[in-house]
């Protein structure tokens, strides 16, 4: 059964769409200034919608979703997603920016980091060998769409323990 993707807002509608909400407190341990994070722990950080037309982890399948990342700061650090590695490093991801502005932060296994500017209409290929996260650098929500292989797997623990080598302030 198909869903509807509103290309003006980036929002998904239909059955099999799962929604999640993350607060600043949900990313405890990811922030450079944990005291500042505790002070705004209940603040909405980002929401995601993911369409699961097929079971997560299915080889050969592609999943589709969005993220709406709010503007703001935790101490000097801008609001960000927690970031992840793909377990299967040969599985990449596509990101299409709908609205807002930000950065796509990429880090290789040697911890060398670069970033790409996210602006409305910009489309980015993420090589599966790079950890990646997004950062809102603007004053409005950053909204982007993503497509990724259902069997890529997501590794968050290494990011939590080691962080990214690039902080965006």
């Amino acid at each position: 059964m198909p869903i509807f993707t509103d290309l003006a807002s980036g929002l998904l509608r239909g059955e099999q769409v799962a929604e999640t909400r993350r607060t600043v407190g949900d990313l405890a341990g990811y922030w450079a200034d944990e005291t500042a994070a505790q002070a705004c722990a209940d603040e909405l950080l980002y929401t995601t919608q993911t369409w699961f037309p097929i079971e997560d982890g299915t080889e050969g399948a592609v999943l589709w979703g969005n993220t709406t990342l709010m503007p703001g700061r935790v101490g000097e650090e801008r609001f960000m997603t927690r970031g992840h590695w793909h377990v299967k490093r040969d599985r990449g991801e596509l990101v299409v920016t709908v609205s807002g502005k930000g950065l796509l932060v990429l880090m290789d296994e040697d911890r060398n980091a670069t970033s790409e500017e996210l602006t409305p209409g910009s489309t980015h290929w993420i090589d599966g060998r790079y950890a990646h996260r997004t950062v809102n650098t603007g004053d409005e929500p950053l909204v982007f769409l993503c497509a990724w292989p259902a069997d890529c797997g997501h590794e968050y623990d290494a990011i939590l323990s080691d962080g990214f080598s690039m902080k965006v302030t």
Side-chain angles (χ1 to χ4, degrees):
M1 175 179 290
I3 62 161
F4 180 79
T5 301
D6 183 333
L7 297 177
S9 69
L11 297 180
L12 309 181
R13 290 194 316 260
E15 294 182 31
Q16 301 170 311
V17 173
E19 298 187 18
T20 61
R21 296 172 55 86
R22 299 275 184 248
T23 64
V24 169
D26 289 331
L27 269 70
Y30 288 89
W31 302 104
D33 185 343
E34 285 296 326
T35 302
Q38 290 173 1
C40 59
D42 293 332
E43 193 167 340
L44 179 63
L45 182 59
Y46 63 91
T47 62
T48 63
Q49 293 182 301
T50 305
W51 178 33
F52 291 100
I54 195 159
E55 187 176 341
D56 193 19
T58 301
E59 187 173 347
V62 176
L63 299 179
W64 176 248
N66 68 33
T67 298
T68 301
L69 177 56
M70 299 300 140
R73 293 179 189 266
V74 172
E76 296 297 315
E77 197 169 16
R78 294 204 178 250
F79 276 12
M80 63 186 179
T81 59
R82 58 187 169 164
H84 61 269
W85 293 95
H86 285 180
V87 173
K88 293 184 177 180
R89 297 287 205 264
D90 63 345
R91 306 295 201 265
E93 186 170 330
L94 285 174
V95 171
V96 180
T97 310
V98 174
S99 61
K101 67 179 190 173
L103 292 175
L104 172 62
V105 179
L106 305 164
M107 183 177 70
D108 68 19
E109 292 186 1
D110 291 327
R111 301 192 49 76
N112 299 306
T114 60
S115 65
E116 297 177 2
E117 190 173 1
L118 297 168
T119 58
S122 67
T123 303
H124 306 263
W125 165 250
I126 301 170
D127 185 310
R129 296 173 296 164
Y130 288 83
H132 45 284
R133 80 166 22 139
T134 53
V135 180
N136 187 330
T137 60
D139 297 323
E140 65 182 81
L142 171 64
V143 181
F144 55 92
L145 297 163
C146 302
W148 65 97
D151 69 337
C152 68
H154 295 89
E155 162 57 65
Y156 298 100
D157 292 343
I159 302 300
L160 180 58
S161 66
D162 301 333
F164 267 73
S165 58
M166 177 187 290
K167 300 277 186 240
V168 180
T169 58

